[in-house]
Amino acid sequence: MAGRGKQRQATLAAPKNGIALSADLPVQSTENFLLQAQRGTLPAVSWLAPSADVSEHPPAKVSAGQTYVTQLINTVMNGPNWKDCAIFLAWDDWGGFYDHVVPVKVDQNGYGLRVPSLVISPYARRGFIDHQTLSFDAFAKFIEDDFLDGQRLDPKTDGRPDPRPTVREDASQLGDLRRGFDFDQNPRQPLILPEHPETDLLPQP
């Protein structure tokens, strides 16, 4: 997910034949996202979801997913929008590995096993490891705080099918992603990574 500026608009990006839904704007292709990133015309919020071949889910190659993500982030970093951009990189499951920490109890759905996430921004705090309890609800909370002045999307009144039992952004256990930023620091310069790093594990795609 990438966000910038204070415009009140949003878009979702789905690669190739990926499918996603948006209440305001049609789904855009990843190719269009890359073009907008190059031109510096990204909307305030973009939410990108990979197709199966770059999702890192079996039988897809992890290296293909890494190349996909690296290309997206490199393109944003090389574009005009990098100067006021925040990228949240997250995985939607834990890869089947053991987790010794019991998930936090929030509502009847609760939280799941822990997954990794990174904050990438010119103003991301240097060397910061966030020990807050966070979930995917924290992304929605960050967007609502930044662009909707803290207004919450209530599943009872948001006017669309919404199976959430509660307004999970208001859960007392949920941390605040804004802690990961330092807007007084000198902005970070882009760090461009190779899309196909050298490896002796598998042949490059």
Side-chain angles (χ1 to χ4, degrees):
M1 180 178 70
R4 55 172 298 273
K6 277 289 185 181
Q7 307 168 58
R8 279 173 169 74
Q9 56 179 312
T11 187
L12 298 173
K16 299 180 181 177
N17 296 321
I19 297 174
L21 299 177
S22 171
D24 301 316
L25 295 175
V27 174
Q28 303 290 315
S29 68
T30 296
E31 289 72 20
N32 189 52
F33 173 87
L34 293 170
L35 183 61
Q36 288 181 317
Q38 291 168 355
R39 293 176 174 174
T41 58
L42 287 172
V45 176
S46 300
W47 195 290
L48 294 100
S51 56
D53 57 333
V54 291
S55 68
E56 301 185 23
H57 285 281
K61 292 181 179 179
V62 172
S63 58
Q66 291 173 338
T67 296
Y68 165 77
V69 170
T70 302
Q71 180 191 26
L72 295 173
I73 296 174
N74 282 351
T75 304
V76 173
M77 284 187 167
N78 277 321
N81 292 141
W82 169 247
K83 66 183 185 300
D84 60 357
C85 180
I87 300 171
F88 298 98
L89 174 60
W91 287 258
D92 67 351
D93 65 36
W94 75 108
F97 295 105
Y98 175 77
D99 189 350
H100 68 284
V101 176
V102 177
V104 175
K105 177 69 174 178
V106 176
D107 51 32
Q108 58 262 47
N109 288 341
Y111 289 158
L113 299 180
R114 295 179 300 171
V115 295
S117 181
L118 300 173
V119 178
I120 304 168
S121 170
Y123 297 99
R125 291 175 60 182
R126 297 178 184 275
F128 179 66
I129 299 175
D130 198 337
H131 295 285
Q132 299 181 93
T133 296
L134 297 165
S135 75
F136 285 92
D137 306 304
F139 299 135
K141 179 180 179 179
F142 181 89
I143 294 168
E144 292 163 357
D145 288 345
D146 203 20
F147 299 106
L148 300 177
D149 298 321
Q151 178 183 350
R152 301 292 179 234
L153 299 177
D154 190 327
K156 295 180 181 178
T157 61
D158 62 12
R160 61 184 179 84
D162 189 338
R164 298 178 301 160
T166 59
V167 181
R168 292 168 61 98
E169 299 94 301
D170 287 335
S172 60
Q173 301 95 328
L174 185 64
D176 189 339
L177 286 171
R178 290 177 295 184
R179 286 187 56 188
F181 297 90
D182 179 0
F183 295 105
D184 294 324
Q185 72 181 21
N186 292 326
R188 294 172 179 266
Q189 295 301 308
L191 177 62
I192 305 303
L193 300 179
E195 293 182 17
H196 302 286
E198 292 186 8
T199 176
D200 58 4
L201 298 178
L202 291 171
Q204 294 187 5

